[in-house]
Amino acid sequence: MGTLILKGNIIHTPQKDKFECHENAYLISKDNSIVGIFDSLPEEYKNEYVYDYGNKLIIPGLSDLHVHASQYVYCGLGIDLQLMDWLGTYAFPTECKYSDLDYAKVYYEAFAESLAKNGTTRAVVFATKHVEGTELLMDILEKHKIAAYVGKVNMDMFCPDYICEDTKQSIADTERWLKDTIGKYKMVQPAITPRFIPTCSSEVLKAMGELAKKYDLHIHTHSTEDIGEIEISLGRYKDFPSDGHVYDSFNLLTDKTVLAHFIFPTKEEMELIRDRGVTIAHCPQSNGNVRAGVPPIRQLMNMGVKVGLGSDIAGGYSVSIFRAMADAEYLSKIRWMETGKEDTYLSVPEAFFLGTKGGGSYFGKVGSFEEGYEMDAVIIDDSNLGTHLDNFSLEQRIERVIHMADDRNVVGRFVMGEKA
Amino acid sequence: MGTLILKGNIIHTPQKDKFECHENAYLISKDNSIVGIFDSLPEEYKNEYVYDYGNKLIIPGLSDLHVHASQYVYCGLGIDLQLMDWLGTYAFPTECKYSDLDYAKVYYEAFAESLAKNGTTRAVVFATKHVEGTELLMDILEKHKIAAYVGKVNMDMFCPDYICEDTKQSIADTERWLKDTIGKYKMVQPAITPRFIPTCSSEVLKAMGELAKKYDLHIHTHSTEDIGEIEISLGRYKDFPSDGHVYDSFNLLTDKTVLAHFIFPTKEEMELIRDRGVTIAHCPQSNGNVRAGVPPIRQLMNMGVKVGLGSDIAGGYSVSIFRAMADAEYLSKIRWMETGKEDTYLSVPEAFFLGTKGGGSYFGKVGSFEEGYEMDAVIIDDSNLGTHLDNFSLEQRIERVIHMADDRNVVGRFVMGEKA
C-alpha cells in the first residue's frame, strides 16, 4: 500500500456539528493510516505520486450499516403493500432464489456495483440463509472493494416453510460458513446475523450469541422496528421488557453489534444498548416506506449512543448514502414537529457525520480524515450541479451534493488505502 | 401539428387508483387531441410516420403546480435554516438579482432546461417582482417548450426594503406586464401571483382580484403553509376565519386558482376552496424541509378537492415530479401514522395520478391519454434500472421509475402535440 496522496477540496466532520473544509489541500496516508491534511505538499513527499483531483471534492467513504443484498433486485417495488404482504410477495420468494448460484451471481454483482458507484466504501450486509450464496456475495464484495461485514441469515420459525430453516441445520450451517470465511478476505468478514426475534428460536439465538463470543464476531440484526414485531417478540419473552433485553439475554449486544431501526425503544432499552456499546443503523427511508415509525435519533445521539445510516434495501429503494443523509434530515424534522420541537432536527453537518464518521466508527477508525484513521475516501465531481453558476463555498457545495448528487457525481473511491 | 403517432408501452391513470397499461401499443393524436390507444395501427394511419419507442415507456406529461424559477440557483442550500433566516439569507437577496437581465438569462435558462430534462411538460411558476425578468422567463419557457402559467410577483409590505414594492407601482407594473404578455405565446400565459397574504397589502390583493377578473386569468399563490404565517395573516384580517376566506374576499379563489401547500386548513376553508374549484399544489418535499407540517391530502381528495404536485423549488431541492410522487407517498404514510391510520396513505397509482392527471387538470384536459386530452407525453427509458434483470410487468416498471428514475431516464417529451 505505502503512501497515498490525494489533492483537492477536502471536507470531513471530525466533530459532528461542523464541516471542516480544506481548499486545494493534500490528504496523505501511509499504509492505510491517515498522516494528515496539508496546505502544501511536505518536502518528504516531493517525489511521491499525487492524485490531483483539481476542483473536485474529497470526502470520507460512505458507510451503509444495514442493507439486504438479496433484495436489491426488487427495490422500488411494493411500496404501498403492508409489511407482511411485502415479505410474502417479494422478500421471501426472492430470497429463496439465492440457492441458485447463477441467479445469485447476477444480482449480487448488480448490488455490489451499485454500492460502489454510489460511493459506499463500507457496508453491513444481510445475505440469505444459504451458505454458498453468502460466500459468493462475500467474494463479489471483496472483488468490488466494498469493505463489509456479511451475514448468512438465521430464520428457523415464523416464516413460510419454503424459506424456513431447521434449527440444528441453521446452527451447523452457520459454523460451517464461519470456518470457511473467517480470515479468508482482506476487506470482507462474516457477521452473526439472526434475522430478528420473531423468526429465530431461542436455541438459535443462544447459539448465535455463543458463536459470536467463540469467534469474536460482529453481530447484525433488526430491533424494535415495528409495534407488531415488538408484540410478537415480547409475547414469546414475557419476562423481558424489550427486544433489547431479549437480545442481551443471549449475549447478542456487544460493542460489535449493529441494530437496525430502533424506532420504539424504552428508556431502559436505550440505556442498555448504550452501555453495551451497540451501534444503531438508522434507516430513514425504510422507516417511512414501511410505515414503521419515526425513531428518536436525537435522544439516542444525546445519550451517547453510536448512530450511523442504513439504506435498508429494499425497505428503502435508494442505495445512496447521500440520499439517506437527506432522508435522515427530513425525518428528523417530522420528529421535531411531532415532539413539540423537543427533539431538535439534524443539521446538515450532522447528517453528513452520520453517513461518514458515525457509521464508519462501527468499522474502527473510519469515516474521517483525522490522523490515524483508515484511508477511505470518495471523490465527488459536482460540476453538473450548477456550481459553475455561482461562487459557492465548500460548505455550500457539499450541502448541494448531499441533496442533489447521484452516482454520476461519484468519480473515485479509495477503500482501506487502496484505489477502487 | 396534424397527426402524431407514438408506439411503445403506454401507461396512464384515467382513474386515480389504478394504472392502465397497454403493452406495445399506439397512441394517436390529431391536432393536439388524443384519438385513442390502439393495439395495432388503424388502417387510416398506415401512411403516417410512427415514433417507435420499442420497449420504452410512454406516460403523460408531468405537471409541476408550484415552483419558484428564481430560486433554482440555490436549491439544496439552507436546508437546516429557519424559514425567516432562509428567506433573508437566500430567497430575498437572490430574487433581487433578477433586475439584471444578464443574470436572469443564465439562471432561468438553467431552470427551464432542468424542468425539460426531468419530463415536466406543464408548470405554474413564480418569477420575481421584476416585469422585464418575468417576461424573459416567459420567453425562455416558451423556447424550451414548458407550457406554463408564469407570475410576476406582488410584494408591497412585510419584506426587506430592498425587495419591497411600492403599492401603486406593484399594481401598475402588473397591468403593464399583462398587456405585454397576454396572447403573446403559444405555450406560456401570465398568472396573477401575489406572493402571500403577509407580503401583500389589501390594496394589492384587491387589485389582483380585479385584474384576474378583468382579463380572465389564472391565479397562483401560497396559502396556509405555516402556523406563523396564518397568525400574521389573521392578525391583519381579524374578522376572517382563515387564509382562504381572506383570499376569497378579494375574489382570488376561482376555478383558475392554484394554492400551494394548504397544510393547516380549517374544515370550512376546505369546503370553501372545493366549492370555488380551487386546485391545491401539494409540495411534500418542501413541507418537510421547511418544517411546515403534514397536510391533509387524503381528506382533500376525499372531499373532491383538485390536487396536484409541486416541486416548490427551492423549499424543495428536486425539480423531478417523480421525486414529488415518491415524497407524497412518504409524507402520506407519516400522516397515516399521525392520524391513527385514519387518513389512508397514497397508493402508487394515486401518487402517479397526482403528478400527471391530477396536476394536469389545472391546465385543462392534460395528464392522461383519454380521448380528447391534449398530447403531452414523456418517453422513459428504464433499461438502466435493472429491468433487464427480471421480468417486470409494466405496473412494476412504472413503480420502479417513480422511485428510482432521474433525468437520464427521460429520453423524449411531447408538449401540446409538439415534439420538444
Side-chain angles (χ1 to χ4, degrees):
Chain A
M1 283 189 290
T3 300
L4 201 53
I5 308 177
L6 313 185
K7 180 166 182 271
N9 296 306
I10 298 164
I11 304 175
H12 64 153
T13 43
Q15 295 167 336
K16 72 173 161 54
D17 48 1
K18 204 171 124 246
F19 287 118
E20 187 184 295
C21 301
H22 301 262
E23 208 164 334
N24 207 19
Y26 297 82
L27 174 65
I28 301 180
S29 72
K30 257 186 172 166
D31 298 337
N32 191 29
S33 177
I34 303 274
V35 175
I37 297 169
F38 303 90
D39 288 339
S40 58
L41 191 62
E43 191 57 36
E44 61 190 290
Y45 298 103
K46 288 290 186 213
N47 296 321
E48 301 278 358
Y49 180 77
V50 174
Y51 288 95
D52 188 344
Y53 290 111
N55 191 35
K56 297 185 178 63
L57 309 179
I58 301 171
I59 63 169
L62 305 175
S63 286
D64 186 341
L65 291 193
H66 180 61
V67 56
H68 295 260
S70 66
Q71 298 178 7
Y72 176 72
V73 54
Y74 65 86
C75 67
L77 290 179
I79 295 294
D80 52 9
L81 293 182
Q82 293 286 348
L83 181 60
M84 292 315 292
D85 290 338
W86 183 84
L87 286 168
T89 307
Y90 289 110
F92 292 148
T94 304
E95 290 190 25
C96 245
K97 297 183 188 168
Y98 288 79
S99 60
D100 174 351
L101 292 182
D102 292 333
Y103 180 95
K105 188 169 187 318
V106 172
Y107 299 105
Y108 282 155
E109 283 280 355
F111 166 75
E113 277 172 26
S114 179
L115 256 59
K117 271 186 0 186
N118 282 279
T120 298
T121 63
R122 307 269 170 164
V124 192
V125 186
F126 264 66
T128 63
K129 67 171 187 174
H130 311 92
V131 171
E132 283 68 27
T134 304
E135 295 190 14
L136 177 64
L137 173 60
M138 295 170 85
D139 295 346
I140 288 170
L141 289 167
E142 176 86 0
K143 186 183 82 180
H144 285 279
K145 294 197 167 78
I146 307 286
Y149 294 109
V150 177
K152 171 240 170 302
V153 179
N154 303 101
M155 44 198 298
D156 69 325
M157 62 181 287
F158 201 67
C159 53
D161 284 347
Y162 66 82
I163 188 88
C164 197
E165 295 181 299
D166 168 75
T167 302
K168 301 245 173 300
Q169 192 70 46
S170 179
I171 297 167
D173 279 357
T174 304
E175 192 149 16
R176 172 164 69 89
W177 160 69
L178 291 175
K179 287 179 175 164
D180 282 354
T181 56
I182 289 174
K184 181 178 177 187
Y185 305 98
K186 182 188 168 192
M187 295 193 176
V188 177
Q189 296 175 59
I192 292 295
T193 307
R195 190 172 196 114
F196 67 150
I197 295 170
T199 64
C200 293
S201 66
S202 301
E203 199 175 339
V204 155
L205 290 175
K206 182 165 172 285
M208 292 308 112
E210 288 166 358
L211 286 173
K213 191 168 181 195
K214 178 174 173 186
Y215 294 102
D216 191 21
L217 294 172
H218 283 68
I219 298 164
H220 180 200
T221 189
H222 303 89
S223 183
T224 318
E225 178 174 6
D226 181 274
I227 296 286
E229 169 256 301
I230 298 170
E231 282 172 4
I232 292 166
S233 300
L234 302 188
R236 261 169 61 204
Y237 296 96
K238 294 191 197 303
D239 296 339
F240 291 81
S242 76
D243 273 16
H245 290 81
V246 175
Y247 284 128
D248 194 48
S249 74
F250 295 112
N251 300 309
L252 288 164
L253 297 190
T254 76
D255 61 359
K256 294 185 167 180
T257 300
V258 64
L259 295 178
H261 307 305
F262 221 56
I263 298 176
F264 303 105
T266 63
K267 184 162 174 293
E268 291 69 27
E269 193 176 13
M270 291 196 273
E271 286 165 355
L272 173 66
I273 62 126
R274 179 200 52 203
D275 296 346
R276 294 284 182 268
V278 167
T279 300
I280 297 301
H282 174 38
C283 308
Q285 189 174 87
S286 168
N287 294 168
N289 286 347
V290 309
R291 304 171 293 289
V294 186
I297 296 304
R298 173 62 68 197
Q299 288 178 39
L300 292 166
M301 289 169 73
N302 284 351
M303 287 174 65
V305 173
K306 295 182 282 181
V307 181
L309 299 176
S311 66
D312 193 20
I313 297 296
Y317 46 76
S318 171
V319 301
S320 165
I321 295 300
F322 289 132
R323 177 66 184 267
M325 295 174 188
D327 290 338
E329 290 172 354
Y330 189 95
L331 200 58
S332 77
K333 291 172 181 175
I334 301 287
R335 179 90 190 174
W336 176 80
M337 294 191 277
E338 281 183 349
T339 61
K341 309 189 183 182
E342 196 172 305
D343 287 4
T344 52
Y345 53 85
L346 296 172
S347 69
V348 178
E350 282 180 321
F352 184 85
F353 175 92
L354 290 181
T356 54
K357 190 175 174 182
S361 29
Y362 183 69
F363 301 86
K365 289 184 140 187
V366 174
S368 183
F369 294 139
E370 294 157 82
E371 196 184 332
Y373 269 66
E374 291 192 57
M375 182 53 138
D376 277 32
V378 176
I379 315 302
I380 303 291
D381 180 349
D382 59 345
S383 54
N384 76 333
L385 299 185
T387 44
H388 61 291
L389 294 179
D390 221 323
N391 293 319
F392 290 122
S393 67
L394 290 181
E395 282 87 348
Q396 288 175 314
R397 285 173 63 184
I398 191 64
E399 187 174 352
R400 280 167 69 91
V401 165
I402 291 167
H403 300 108
M404 299 167 73
D406 57 41
D407 55 284
R408 282 171 284 195
N409 303 99
V410 175
V411 296
R413 214 167 50 96
F414 293 82
V415 186
M416 296 176 77
E418 288 187 23
K419 190 170 192 311
Chain B
M1 286 189 289
T3 301
L4 201 53
I5 308 177
L6 312 186
K7 180 164 181 273
N9 296 306
I10 298 164
I11 304 174
H12 64 153
T13 42
Q15 294 168 336
K16 72 175 163 50
D17 48 1
K18 203 169 125 251
F19 286 118
E20 186 183 297
C21 300
H22 301 262
E23 208 163 330
N24 206 19
Y26 297 81
L27 174 65
I28 302 180
S29 72
K30 256 186 171 166
D31 297 337
N32 190 29
S33 176
I34 304 274
V35 176
I37 298 170
F38 303 90
D39 288 340
S40 58
L41 191 63
E43 193 55 39
E44 62 190 289
Y45 298 104
K46 288 290 186 213
N47 296 321
E48 300 279 357
Y49 181 77
V50 174
Y51 288 95
D52 188 344
Y53 290 111
N55 192 34
K56 297 184 178 64
L57 309 179
I58 301 172
I59 64 169
L62 305 175
S63 286
D64 187 341
L65 292 192
H66 180 61
V67 56
H68 294 261
S70 66
Q71 298 178 7
Y72 177 71
V73 54
Y74 65 85
C75 67
L77 290 179
I79 295 294
D80 53 8
L81 293 182
Q82 294 286 349
L83 182 61
M84 292 314 292
D85 289 340
W86 183 84
L87 285 168
T89 306
Y90 289 110
F92 291 148
T94 305
E95 289 190 24
C96 246
K97 296 182 188 168
Y98 288 80
S99 59
D100 173 351
L101 292 181
D102 292 333
Y103 180 95
K105 186 169 188 316
V106 173
Y107 299 105
Y108 281 155
E109 282 279 355
F111 166 75
E113 274 171 28
S114 180
L115 256 58
K117 269 185 4 184
N118 281 280
T120 297
T121 62
R122 307 268 171 163
V124 191
V125 187
F126 263 66
T128 64
K129 69 172 187 175
H130 311 93
V131 171
E132 282 69 26
T134 303
E135 295 190 13
L136 176 63
L137 173 60
M138 295 170 85
D139 294 346
I140 289 171
L141 288 168
E142 175 86 359
K143 186 182 80 176
H144 285 278
K145 294 198 168 74
I146 307 285
Y149 294 108
V150 177
K152 170 243 172 299
V153 180
N154 303 100
M155 45 197 298
D156 68 327
M157 62 182 286
F158 200 68
C159 54
D161 284 348
Y162 65 82
I163 187 87
C164 197
E165 295 182 300
D166 169 76
T167 302
K168 301 242 172 305
Q169 192 70 46
S170 179
I171 297 167
D173 278 356
T174 304
E175 192 149 17
R176 171 163 71 88
W177 160 69
L178 291 174
K179 287 180 175 162
D180 281 353
T181 56
I182 288 174
K184 181 178 176 187
Y185 305 98
K186 179 185 170 196
M187 294 193 176
V188 177
Q189 296 176 57
I192 291 295
T193 308
R195 191 174 196 112
F196 67 150
I197 295 169
T199 63
C200 294
S201 67
S202 301
E203 199 175 339
V204 155
L205 290 176
K206 181 164 175 283
M208 292 308 114
E210 288 166 358
L211 285 173
K213 189 167 183 194
K214 178 175 173 186
Y215 294 102
D216 190 22
L217 294 172
H218 283 68
I219 298 164
H220 180 200
T221 188
H222 303 89
S223 182
T224 319
E225 179 173 7
D226 181 273
I227 295 286
E229 169 256 301
I230 297 170
E231 283 172 5
I232 293 167
S233 299
L234 301 188
R236 261 169 58 205
Y237 296 96
K238 295 189 198 303
D239 296 338
F240 291 82
S242 77
D243 272 17
H245 290 84
V246 175
Y247 284 129
D248 194 49
S249 74
F250 295 112
N251 300 311
L252 287 164
L253 297 190
T254 76
D255 61 0
K256 294 185 168 181
T257 300
V258 64
L259 295 178
H261 306 306
F262 221 57
I263 299 176
F264 304 105
T266 64
K267 185 164 175 291
E268 291 69 28
E269 193 176 13
M270 292 196 273
E271 287 165 355
L272 173 67
I273 62 127
R274 179 200 51 202
D275 296 345
R276 294 285 183 268
V278 167
T279 300
I280 297 301
H282 173 40
C283 307
Q285 189 173 89
S286 168
N287 294 168
N289 285 347
V290 309
R291 302 170 294 288
V294 186
I297 296 304
R298 173 61 68 198
Q299 289 178 39
L300 291 167
M301 288 169 73
N302 283 352
M303 287 174 65
V305 173
K306 295 182 281 183
V307 180
L309 298 176
S311 65
D312 193 19
I313 297 294
Y317 46 77
S318 170
V319 301
S320 165
I321 294 301
F322 290 131
R323 177 66 183 267
M325 293 175 190
D327 290 338
E329 290 171 354
Y330 189 95
L331 200 59
S332 76
K333 290 172 181 176
I334 301 287
R335 179 89 190 178
W336 177 80
M337 294 190 277
E338 281 184 350
T339 60
K341 309 189 183 182
E342 195 173 306
D343 287 5
T344 53
Y345 52 87
L346 296 173
S347 68
V348 177
E350 283 180 321
F352 184 85
F353 175 91
L354 291 181
T356 55
K357 190 174 174 181
S361 32
Y362 184 69
F363 300 87
K365 289 184 141 189
V366 174
S368 184
F369 294 140
E370 294 156 82
E371 196 184 333
Y373 269 67
E374 291 193 57
M375 182 53 139
D376 276 33
V378 176
I379 315 302
I380 303 291
D381 181 349
D382 59 346
S383 54
N384 75 333
L385 299 184
T387 43
H388 63 290
L389 294 179
D390 221 323
N391 292 317
F392 291 122
S393 67
L394 290 181
E395 283 87 348
Q396 288 175 314
R397 286 173 64 184
I398 191 65
E399 187 173 353
R400 280 167 70 90
V401 165
I402 291 168
H403 300 108
M404 300 167 73
D406 58 39
D407 55 285
R408 282 170 284 195
N409 303 100
V410 175
V411 295
R413 214 167 49 95
F414 293 82
V415 186
M416 297 176 78
E418 287 186 23
K419 190 169 191 310

